[in-house]
């Protein structure tokens, strides 16, 4: 190693130490750990306390996130997939969908055994995989988190500013990583995604890192707001372990429905428009929120569709230097997962073969046949 | 009077500057400040107020511009990639192609050689489609169809490479097996001159959609198509560059600049710069950072997503130095314009100031002359501005007015000056008096804060003027007066009255002193109290002298009292001794004359014993009155104490711990050892009585020097070296009243009948008679210490100071003895004693004269004369002197009731002078007569 490389390594190490120290100060402005913030008891949540999770054996309970381009499009398509309904009926099952504001909320109810299937970003997925017996079987979508800021052009311009983020989300990881890499000190303000537009309007935050469609709402809502930083993420579909063991056929049907939905959305941009309308309706049904601009939702959904591809688990995501390994280390550093959790054990919960098997038999799983309820009314 | 003679008062630098200077400075300076401020604000804004300047706008614009360029490049790249994927997908998903591929694969499975496949109509159709696609997009170098099972090329857009596969077959193998559709693979330039290429993979399924039968590859020359998309194209200036890497940060495009070490980055070179790391790991944004050359750049980093789920990193960057160049050029121009504006403003200010100040300078000249007393000077008519004309006119009027005033003022000044001089002289005298007076004077304000003190105060209090001024008079507080005292004082003076009294104050060094003070308020003309003045005299020395005098008088009174008591006791003892002599003498005679079994023997014996006890009491009285005969010798008090130690331990008992602390270098004293023993015993007995429940008794000896100060406090004591004998106990102690009387005879604190009250008076008498001094220190409950001081002596001790005749002599019955005694009963008693002893040649005389007559008339020659010392008429000493005129060897024995006659008045102080103390027994008389007769 020559002198230049040595200096670079030393600088990197020193920089890392410095930014870790800065992060330790910044990331916990209220003396409360991020881990503590995401471990809330949601039993009395104003929205979720109204849900009645079916206790029947023949019901498959799926937790979805409407405030989430493009996973919401996929989920809403699956909800309306008559072929999926048919497959499950054959198995003596039926589906029930429950909407949530963010991934950690889905995990809370899955941990209580009230949900069988969940979908969330990589950080909540990893966290659940380290805490509960789950099977991660498919990639839902791929997109970017946007750090939207007013009066700032680069991350460094956010020095000392208030930045909204959702604790325990992928955006949390992306934000901390960005601040560390650029050596920026900022005040982190924990907020749910749907709270962020109001917070930025009121001046409570100067910037917010969030996924679509809220990122677009922030940009449209605040003149001069810009995306100063973006970070790629992936989201996953996962099943409770005991459910996966008991209902392998149901899992295959659900994975096939996901692959089908992906292909359906890929087939025609009109399908993206239709699914976006369904997703917006689901958003409005879930929580009063800022008016979502349909056109923008559709635009973002189209972009996300281009990025997403087939819903398979990619080896590049799961290798030891990939996105998931990096996020796993972040969770450990933040004490958001048990200290003794091993990466290999978490890695083993990711099952790529099921989806690959389904994709290799498109005829059998009717991957190229599309039959969705109410699709026509959006044409 | 010339202008040069004007003397300007000493004023600040600012006041010495001219109006013109200030006009130029203020207007010019302010204008320059405004121009510079505006220029700076315009350039750099006010970030704290959220106001953007040109620099921020420039930065914002550049960041946005670079971001847009990066977005455009990314969009172009992704569109191009999607198009290329579309090329492949169109073919792979075409049902006709799928059917033909299926037929070909079936043929292979049936054993047809790959070389024969080229003739198959299906292969010809597919190859034709490949070629038309390649023609449509010229950058496509080749398209292959590879059998999924064997991995061999079954259709190619190129001639002659069926079966054996392309040169890059090995490179294709991995993606054939990966089953990852829509994936991209970069292939470097090869040795055969092949271009850098990109290969796109796509599976071809059977018609049922489930069977994966072949893989379609499209190979594209990226240097021909990709590089133009990513090239600078001029939009990024001279230093702009677009970098593209794969997900592992390996370069996909060549670098335009050399590396920091001068080297050229080869293909697959791994870039370590921050924006590339961010972009390749899926991040997007804009940063000011350093590039691979370590040059500051503005970099927009983008992540290019690929269908396979991975992505490339793209960085669009431009050197900061180039970006700033335009801004700096604009800033420079702006600054120069600003400077030019400032110069113009200054020039205008100078010109305007000169015009404005010219008439003022003329008026100023006139004013200066006026100021120098030249009132006859005509004020010049200045022209220019209305204000100046008005000023000139007003100034002229003022000059006339001043002229009149000048004369009046001069008279006033002369009068006031004389008045002030007188007052000043008077105050100076007054001040000198205050400063030089012996009384301390303090001036305070109405709150008691000291404003002035005179030198006498400094002397008395120890505080310098600097230390005292600013303090309150409480710095002198001694704590000897209570709060009520001060309250009364303040009430008095605050009510406008004077206060007089005596105060004990504290000196700076902490010592106390007493002052007679008079404190008075000082009123302002309004009647309000503005100051307090205190005049004080230090009377400490006077009080001390008075107290000393009283104390010495008291001591003298005490000494005189003791002396009187001594004389009284001595006198009484003398008479008692005479009478006791008779009682004891006759008692013994009667006792001797009675038979041993005579019934009167016991009563007579009791009479003799009572007489002996009375004689003992009388001896103690004599000791107190210092009228004993001392057997004085040179001795060490240590020896006396050590000899007594055993006896003293028995005396005090086991409850009391005796400690001796004896100075081994103790000097010697002239004293009677027996009497000193008596002193020690009496003091020890006294201590024992004070320690009924046990305690400690310490006897100490030490050499001490009593200085002049000590002797001043103890009349009768001479300065010099003494030996101190101290007896200390831890007993009950005594109060001052008791201490005042303890040395008086018959004074006792014991119960009646328990003590004679003569112990300490005996000690007192012995000490005084030995030339010493005794002091007592005691407090109730704190024990008692007696300190006795004996003068030291330099005389060496002799072996036998007191010679005792050991020789015995038988009684010479023919011895002629003349007894001279004025007391007839005593004379008769001595006669009976001498006869009792067997002497019969006895002659008696009642006085000295009678004795002389008896000797001279009867011509007798007495062998021994026994004479009283004090007698009416001739004393014993005179008688002996007369008798020894003829008989120098005449033996004489003096007797006396007390010793002062013998020692003091008759100057018979030699220790060898025979003397017998009244009363005495027959035996004592016999021994003394024998001693006298045997003496030389």
């Amino acid at each position: 190693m020559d002198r230049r490389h040595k200096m670079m390594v030393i600088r990197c190490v020193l920089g890392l130490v410095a930014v870790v120290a800065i992060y330790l100060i910044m990331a916990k402005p209220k003396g409360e750990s991020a881990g503590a913030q995401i471990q809330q008891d949601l039993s009395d949540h104003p929205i979720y306390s109204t849900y009645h999770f079916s206790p029947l054996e023949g019901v498959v309970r799926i937790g979805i996130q409407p405030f989430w381009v493009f996973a919401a499009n996929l989920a809403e398509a699956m909800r309306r997939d008559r072929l999926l309904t048919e497959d499950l009926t054959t198995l003596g099952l039926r589906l029930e969908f429950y909407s949530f504001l963010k991934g950690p909320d889905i995990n809370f109810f899955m941990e209580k055994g009230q949900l069988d299937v969940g979908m969330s970003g990589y950080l909540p997925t990893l966290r659940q995989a380290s805490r509960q017996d789950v099977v991660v079987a498919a990639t839902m979508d791929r997109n970017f988190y946007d750090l939207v800021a007013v009066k700032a052009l680069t991350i460094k311009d956010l020095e000392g500013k208030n930045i909204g983020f959702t604790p325990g989300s992928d955006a949390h990881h992306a934000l901390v990583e960005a601040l560390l890499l650029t050596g920026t000190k900022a005040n982190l303000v924990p907020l749910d995604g749907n709270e962020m537009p109001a917070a930025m309007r009121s001046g409570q935050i100067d910037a917010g890192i969030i996924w679509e469609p809220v990122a677009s709402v922030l940009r449209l809502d605040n003149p001069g707001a810009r995306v100063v930083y973006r970070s790629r993420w992936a989201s996953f579909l996962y099943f409770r372990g005991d459910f996966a063991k008991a209902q392998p056929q149901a899992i295959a049907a659900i994975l096939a429905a996901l692959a089908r939905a992906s292909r359906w959305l890929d087939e025609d941009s009109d399908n993206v428009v239709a699914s976006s309308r369904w997703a917006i309706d689901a958003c409005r049904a879930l929580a009063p929120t800022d008016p979502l601009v349909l056109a923008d939702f559709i635009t973002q959904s189209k972009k996300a569709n281009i990025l997403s591809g087939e819903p398979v688990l990619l080896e590049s995501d799961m290798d030891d230097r990939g996105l998931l390994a990096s996020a796993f280390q972040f969770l450990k550093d933040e004490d958001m997962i048990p200290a003794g959790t091993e990466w290999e054990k978490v890695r083993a919960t990711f099952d790529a073969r099921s989806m690959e098997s389904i994709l290799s038999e498109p005829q059998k799983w009717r991957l190229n046949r599309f039959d969705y309820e109410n699709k026509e009314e959006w044409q | 009077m010339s202008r040069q003679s004007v003397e300007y008062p000493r004023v600040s630098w600012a006041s010495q500057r001219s109006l013109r200077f200030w006009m130029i400075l203020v207007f010019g300076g302010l204008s320059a400040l405004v121009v510079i401020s505006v220029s700076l604000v315009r350039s750099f804004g006010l970030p704290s107020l959220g106001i953007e300047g040109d620099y921020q706008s420039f930065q914002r614009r550049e960041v946005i511009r670079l971001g847009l360029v990066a977005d455009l490049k990314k969009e172009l790249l992704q569109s191009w990639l999607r198009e290329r994927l579309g090329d492949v997908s169109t073919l792979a998903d075409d049902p006709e192609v799928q059917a033909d591929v299926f037929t070909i694969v079936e043929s292979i499975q049936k054993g047809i050689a790959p070389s024969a496949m080229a003739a198959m109509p299906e292969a010809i159709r597919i190859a034709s489609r490949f070629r038309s696609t390649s023609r449509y997009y010229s950058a496509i170098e080749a398209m292959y169809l590879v059998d999924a099972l064997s991995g061999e090329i079954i259709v190619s857009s190129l001639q002659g490479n069926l079966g054996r596969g392309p040169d890059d077959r090995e490179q294709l193998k991995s993606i054939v097996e990966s089953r990852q559709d829509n994936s991209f693979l970069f292939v470097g330039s090869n040795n055969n001159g092949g271009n850098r290429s990109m290969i796109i993979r796509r599976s071809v399924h059977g018609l049922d959609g489930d069977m994966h039968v072949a893989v379609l590859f499209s190979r594209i020359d990226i240097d021909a198509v990709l590089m133009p998309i990513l090239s600078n194209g001029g939009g990024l200036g001279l230093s702009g560059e677009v970098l593209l890497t794969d997900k592992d940060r390996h370069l996909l495009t060549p670098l335009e600049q050399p590396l920091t070490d001068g080297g050229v980055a080869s293909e697959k070179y791994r870039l370590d710069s921050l924006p590339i790391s961010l972009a390749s790991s899926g991040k997007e944004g804009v940063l000011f950072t350093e590039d691979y050359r370590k040059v500051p750049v503005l970099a927009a980093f983008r992540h290019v997503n690929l269908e396979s789920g991975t992505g490339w990193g793209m960085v669009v960057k431009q050197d900061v130095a180039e970006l700033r160049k335009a801004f700096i050029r604009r800033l420079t121009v702006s600054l120069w314009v600003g400077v030019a504006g400032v110069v113009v403003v200054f020039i205008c200010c100078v010109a305007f100031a000169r015009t404005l100040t010219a008439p003022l300078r003329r008026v100023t000249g006139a004013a200066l002359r006026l100021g120098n007393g030249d009132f006859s000077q005509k004020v010049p008519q200045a022209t220019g501005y209305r204000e100046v004309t008005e000023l000139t006119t007003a100034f002229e009027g003022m000059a006339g007015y001043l002229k009149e005033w000048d004369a009046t003022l001069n008279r006033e000044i002369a009068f006031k000056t004389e008045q002030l001089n007188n007052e000043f002289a008077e105050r100076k005298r007054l001040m000198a008096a205050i400063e030089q007076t012996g009384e301390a004077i303090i001036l305070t304000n109405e709150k008691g804060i000291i404003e002035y003190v005179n030198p006498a105060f400094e002397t008395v209090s120890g505080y310098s003027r600097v230390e005292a001024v600013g303090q309150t008079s409480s710095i002198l507080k001694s704590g000897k007066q209570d709060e009520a005292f001060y309250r009364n004082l303040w009430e008095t003076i605050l009510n406008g009255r004077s206060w007089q009294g005596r105060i004990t104050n504290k000196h700076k060094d902490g010592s106390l002193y007493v002052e007679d003070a008079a404190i008075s308020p000082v009123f302002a003309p309004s009647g309000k109290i503005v100051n307090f003045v205190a005049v004080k005299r230090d009377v400490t020395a006077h009080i001390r002298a008075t107290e000393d005098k009283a104390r010495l008088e008291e001591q003298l009174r005490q000494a005189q009292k003791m002396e009187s008591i001594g004389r009284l006791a001595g006198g009484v003892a003398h008479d008692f001794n005479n009478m006791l002599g008779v009682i004891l003498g006759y008692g013994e005679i009667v006792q001797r004359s009675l038979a041993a079994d005579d019934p009167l023997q016991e009563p007579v014996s009791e009479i003799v014993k009572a007489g002996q006890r009375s004689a003992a009491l009388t001896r103690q009285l004599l000791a107190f009155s210092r009228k004993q005969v001392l057997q004085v010798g040179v001795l060490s008090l240590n020896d006396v104490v050590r000899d007594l130690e055993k006896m003293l331990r028995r005396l005090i008992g086991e409850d009391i711990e005796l400690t001796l602390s004896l100075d081994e270098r103790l000097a010697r004293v002239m004293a009677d050892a027996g009497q000193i023993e008596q002193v020690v015993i009496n003091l020890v007995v006294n201590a024992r009585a004070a320690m009924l429940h046990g305690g400690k008794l310490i006897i100490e000896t030490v050499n001490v020097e009593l200085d002049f100060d000590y002797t001043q406090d103890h009349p009768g004591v001479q300065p010099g070296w003494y030996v101190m004998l101290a007896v200390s106990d831890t007993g009950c102690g005594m109060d001052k009243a008791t201490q005042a009387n303890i040395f008086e005879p018959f004074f006792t604190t014991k119960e009646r009948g328990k003590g004679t009250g003569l112990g300490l008076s005996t000690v007192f008498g012995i000490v005084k008679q030995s030339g010493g001094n005794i002091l007592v220190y005691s407090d109730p409950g704190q024990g008692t210490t007696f300190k006795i001081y004996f003068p030291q002596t330099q005389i060496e001790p002799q072996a036998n100071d007191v010679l005792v005749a050991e020789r015995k002599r038988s009684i010479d019955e023919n011895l002629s003895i003349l007894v001279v005694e004025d007391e007839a009963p005593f004379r008769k008693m001595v006669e009976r004693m001498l006869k009792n002893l067997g002497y019969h040649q006895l002659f008696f005389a009642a006085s000295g004269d009678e004795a002389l007559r008896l000797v001279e008339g009867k011509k007798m020659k007495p062998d021994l004369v026994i004479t009283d010392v004090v007698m009416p008429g001739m004393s014993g000493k005179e008688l002996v002197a007369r008798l020894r005129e003829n008989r120098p060897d005449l033996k004489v024995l003096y007797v006396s009731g007390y010793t002062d006659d013998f020692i003091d008045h008759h100057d018979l102080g030699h220790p060898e002078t025979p003397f017998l103390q009244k009363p005495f027994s027959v035996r004592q008389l016999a021994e003394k007569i024998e001693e006298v007769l045997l003496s030389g």
Side-chain angles (χ1 to χ4, degrees), chain A residues 13-90:
Chain A
V13 171
L14 290 176
L16 195 61
V17 170
V19 293
V20 165
I22 291 163
Y23 171 71
L24 290 174
I25 296 166
M26 288 191 318
K28 300 171 182 176
K30 295 171 183 174
E32 187 181 8
S33 75
Q37 288 173 349
I38 61 171
Q39 287 179 346
Q40 295 168 350
D41 184 358
L42 301 172
S43 304
D44 297 324
H45 190 279
I47 297 171
Y48 308 147
S49 59
T50 63
Y51 289 177
H52 177 67
F53 296 98
S54 175
L56 300 175
E57 279 195 5
V59 176
V60 179
R61 299 157 298 184
I62 300 185
I64 61 170
Q65 297 185 58
F67 283 99
W68 182 9
V69 172
F70 174 71
N73 301 59
L74 290 165
E76 292 303 320
M78 289 168 70
R79 189 205 289 261
R80 291 163 176 79
D81 187 351
R82 291 194 182 98
L83 300 179
L84 172 62
T85 307
E86 191 180 299
D87 288 345
L88 292 177
T89 306
T90 307

Side-chain angles (χ1 to χ4, degrees), chain B residues 872-884:
Chain B
M874 189 180 294
S875 71
K877 184 187 172 188
E878 288 171 342
L879 170 64
V880 171
R882 291 282 296 273
L883 291 173
R884 279 186 172 164

Side-chain angles (χ1 to χ4, degrees), chain A residues 10-255:
Chain A
I10 292 169
R11 274 201 291 269
C12 286
V13 171
L14 290 176
L16 195 61
V17 170
V19 293
V20 165
I22 291 163
Y23 171 71
L24 290 174
I25 296 166
M26 288 191 318
K28 300 171 182 176
K30 295 171 183 174
E32 187 181 8
S33 75
Q37 288 173 349
I38 61 171
Q39 287 179 346
Q40 295 168 350
D41 184 358
L42 301 172
S43 304
D44 297 324
H45 190 279
I47 297 171
Y48 308 147
S49 59
T50 63
Y51 289 177
H52 177 67
F53 296 98
S54 175
L56 300 175
E57 279 195 5
V59 176
V60 179
R61 299 157 298 184
I62 300 185
I64 61 170
Q65 297 185 58
F67 283 99
W68 182 9
V69 172
F70 174 71
N73 301 59
L74 290 165
E76 292 303 320
M78 289 168 70
R79 189 205 289 261
R80 291 163 176 79
D81 187 351
R82 291 194 182 98
L83 300 179
L84 172 62
T85 307
E86 191 180 299
D87 288 345
L88 292 177
T89 306
T90 307
L91 297 170
L93 301 171
R94 67 179 169 86
L95 273 176
E96 281 190 1
F97 287 80
Y98 300 92
S99 297
F100 292 89
L101 290 167
K102 56 185 185 292
D105 298 355
I106 292 176
N107 287 343
F108 174 79
F109 290 100
M110 182 176 271
E111 206 164 348
K112 291 177 72 176
Q114 293 174 315
L115 289 177
D116 307 305
V117 188
M119 55 183 70
S120 62
Y122 58 84
L123 211 69
T125 302
L126 284 172
R127 189 157 179 272
Q128 197 65 0
S130 66
R131 292 156 55 89
Q132 191 178 12
D133 177 21
V134 295
V135 176
V136 184
T139 302
M140 288 291 290
D141 65 348
R142 298 173 187 283
N143 206 335
F144 285 96
Y145 288 111
D146 288 352
L147 177 55
V148 181
V150 287
K151 297 179 183 174
L153 295 173
T154 66
I155 298 173
K156 286 298 278 181
D157 295 340
L158 295 173
E159 183 83 26
K161 299 290 176 57
N162 297 325
I163 304 178
F165 77 110
T166 303
S169 67
D170 302 357
H172 182 182
H173 175 221
L175 175 61
V176 170
E177 196 177 49
L179 296 176
L180 287 175
L181 285 168
T182 56
T184 307
K185 295 178 183 175
N187 305 316
L188 304 190
V189 183
L191 290 169
D192 273 349
N194 61 322
E195 297 169 338
M196 226 171 269
M200 187 172 276
R201 267 200 307 277
S202 67
Q204 183 191 353
I205 56 173
D206 304 293
I209 186 161
I210 193 67
W211 50 88
E212 294 292 355
V214 183
S216 289
V217 173
L218 292 181
R219 277 191 290 109
L220 296 169
D221 214 20
N222 297 277
R226 291 181 56 79
V227 176
V228 297
Y229 181 76
R230 309 179 84 194
S231 179
R232 185 175 64 92
W233 54 265
S235 62
F236 300 95
L237 180 74
Y238 45 97
F239 302 89
R240 225 179 53 239
D242 54 341
F243 173 77
K245 288 186 184 72
Q247 299 288 354
Q249 288 301 313
I251 288 176
I254 293 168
L255 291 178

Side-chain angles (χ1 to χ4, degrees), chain B residues 614-728:
Chain B
S614 300
L617 276 175
T618 312
R619 271 198 299 279
Q620 284 180 308
L621 279 175
L622 285 173
F624 167 69
S625 57
R626 292 165 261 167
K627 291 181 177 64
Q628 294 185 104
V629 177
L630 300 180
Q631 302 298 316
V632 178
V634 177
L635 56 89
S636 165
L637 294 185
N638 285 356
D639 295 342
V640 174
V641 173
R642 285 197 186 100
D643 290 346
L644 280 175
E645 182 181 356
K646 195 172 177 182
M647 188 270 281
L648 293 176
R649 290 190 188 281
R650 279 200 307 272
L651 187 64
I652 59 178
E654 293 178 351
D655 290 344
I656 296 171
E657 178 188 339
L658 174 63
T659 303
L660 301 185
S661 174
L662 307 178
D663 186 350
E664 291 306 323
R665 300 173 65 184
L666 195 70
R668 297 181 181 280
V669 298
M670 287 288 287
D672 183 331
Q675 295 301 313
I676 298 301
E677 285 178 357
Q678 187 64 49
V679 166
V680 174
I681 290 167
N682 283 10
L683 291 176
V684 168
V685 168
N686 198 63
R688 182 188 63 182
M691 295 188 287
L692 293 176
H693 304 293
K696 288 185 179 177
L697 176 65
I698 302 165
I699 300 177
E700 179 188 6
T701 59
V702 68
N703 294 319
V704 295
E705 183 182 15
L706 303 181
D707 58 14
F708 181 77
D709 289 343
Y710 180 88
T711 59
Q712 287 299 300
D713 291 338
H714 300 86
V717 180
Q718 295 301 314
W721 281 93
Y722 285 78
V723 170
M724 186 192 80
L725 169 68
V727 178
S728 305

Side-chain angles (χ1 to χ4, degrees), chain A residues 177 229-230 232 307 362-363, chain B residues 208-210 282-284 305:
Chain A
E177 196 177 49
Y229 181 76
R230 309 179 84 194
R232 185 175 64 92
L307 294 173
Q363 196 71 21
Chain B
D208 63 356
D210 286 355
K283 312 295 188 298
E284 295 189 347
N305 290 280

Side-chain angles (χ1 to χ4, degrees), chain A residues 2 4-5 8 11 142 144 151-156 174 177 181-182 224 226 228-233 266 306-310 312 314 316-317 319 321 323 356 359-364 368, chain B residues 56 59-61 63-64 74 78 82 179-180 205 207-211 247-248 260-261 269-270 272 274 278 280-288 292 294 298 301 303 305-310:
Chain A
D2 61 19
R4 189 166 60 87
H5 283 101
M8 186 177 290
R11 274 201 291 269
R142 298 173 187 283
F144 285 96
K151 297 179 183 174
L153 295 173
T154 66
I155 298 173
K156 286 298 278 181
E177 196 177 49
L181 285 168
T182 56
R226 291 181 56 79
V228 297
Y229 181 76
R230 309 179 84 194
S231 179
R232 185 175 64 92
W233 54 265
D266 213 20
I306 292 168
L307 294 173
S308 295
E310 295 275 30
V312 291
L314 294 177
S316 57
D317 283 339
D319 67 28
R321 290 186 303 156
L323 176 69
E356 283 174 2
L359 291 176
S360 68
E361 296 178 299
Q363 196 71 21
K364 175 186 173 184
N368 298 315
Chain B
Q56 286 82 7
Q59 260 193 345
R60 172 178 285 273
R61 192 170 59 247
V63 167
I64 293 171
K74 177 186 168 182
Q78 292 203 140
R82 279 197 295 275
R179 299 168 62 89
Q180 189 71 51
H205 295 268
L207 285 173
D208 63 356
D210 286 355
M211 190 180 293
K247 69 180 177 61
D248 295 322
T260 50
D261 58 3
Y269 178 82
R270 187 181 166 104
D272 282 328
L274 177 62
L278 291 168
S280 58
S281 63
K283 312 295 188 298
E284 295 189 347
V286 182
L287 273 179
F288 281 96
Y292 58 87
K294 304 299 174 194
L298 176 63
F301 49 97
H303 183 75
N305 290 280
L306 302 178
E307 291 287 323
S308 57
T310 59

